[in-house]
Amino acid sequence: MSDDFVLDVTKIRDEARRKMEAGPVTDTYGLDKDRVIGILNDVIATEVVCWLRYTRHAISASGIDRAQVSSEFTEHAKEEMQHALRAAERVSQLGADPDFDPASLAQRAHTDYTTPPDNDLKAMLEHNLLAERIVIASYQEIIRWLGEHDPTTRRLMESILEEEEEHADDLVDLIGV
């Protein structure tokens, strides 16, 4: 096995000086930055819609198991908002403005905003589990697409994915399937 790794630090320094306005995005960035920003803005929309859905369900839930289910929904809602903020921060790092436009959130989101009857906790749990499964599958695809081309965004998405899988597991436990 040969060791053919060569690092031209002088060239890297010169390039960094010439393009300082690009911030953290260097010539070694491996993807179409605008495409990544668009995908992240869709992630923001998805997470905001999930936050809205969980928040509504937490507030409107009623019935004998309301306290436990509402508490879980509230916890998930907080984490979904954090996911949106983390994705927004990455959009900003990539040199763009995060898209929180309420007029287009629902169209850009991977999941739906649902309003089952207040007394139907099972339907709320199932709607949220379905949404988590959609998010898990779509985020896995995003992670595969990012590959080694944008390790920072990939790690962000992997971290969010890990929490989404925990949400799905929590919901399965509450449903009792």
Side-chain angles (χ1 to χ4, degrees), residues 30 33 40 80 85 92 95 112 136 146 148 158:
K33 183 179 70 161
L40 286 171
E80 302 294 0
L85 294 173
S92 181
D112 295 324
I136 289 166
L146 290 166
E148 297 301 316
E158 287 170 344

Side-chain angles (χ1 to χ4, degrees), residues 36-44 87 90-91 94 153 156-157:
V36 173
I37 290 166
I39 289 168
L40 286 171
N41 274 321
D42 290 350
V43 167
I44 292 167
R90 182 61 180 154
V91 167
L94 292 172
T153 303
L156 167 68
M157 293 303 302

Side-chain angles (χ1 to χ4, degrees), residues 35-169:
R35 181 72 178 121
V36 173
I37 290 166
I39 289 168
L40 286 171
N41 274 321
D42 290 350
V43 167
I44 292 167
T46 300
E47 296 296 333
V48 169
V49 167
C50 288
W51 170 75
L52 289 168
R53 186 185 54 257
Y54 271 123
T55 300
R56 192 242 185 232
H57 291 178
I59 292 167
S60 65
S62 65
I64 194 163
D65 295 319
R66 181 209 183 282
Q68 180 183 11
V69 172
S70 181
S71 175
E72 197 68 37
F73 288 164
T74 299
E75 178 185 329
H76 289 193
K78 289 177 186 173
E79 291 172 353
E80 302 294 0
M81 184 50 66
Q82 284 304 308
H83 298 166
L85 294 173
R86 290 170 59 205
E89 188 62 37
R90 182 61 180 154
V91 167
S92 181
Q93 286 174 348
L94 292 172
D97 292 323
D99 187 352
F100 284 98
D101 183 359
S104 66
L105 283 174
Q107 293 83 20
R108 292 183 293 117
H110 301 173
T111 61
D112 295 324
Y113 178 84
T114 60
T115 56
D118 295 351
N119 63 347
D120 195 346
L121 295 181
K122 185 172 186 203
M124 289 180 189
L125 289 163
E126 288 172 346
H127 287 213
N128 285 303
L129 177 57
L130 175 62
E132 294 294 356
R133 290 180 49 77
I134 291 166
V135 165
I136 289 166
S138 63
Y139 290 6
Q140 287 171 339
E141 289 298 319
I142 292 168
I143 290 164
R144 279 192 273 283
W145 178 75
L146 290 166
E148 297 301 316
H149 304 293
D150 182 346
T152 303
T153 303
R154 186 193 71 240
R155 285 191 309 273
L156 167 68
M157 293 303 302
E158 287 170 344
S159 172
I160 293 171
L161 173 63
E162 180 180 358
E163 289 185 2
E164 301 295 4
E165 289 174 346
E166 289 172 13
H167 292 173
D169 190 50

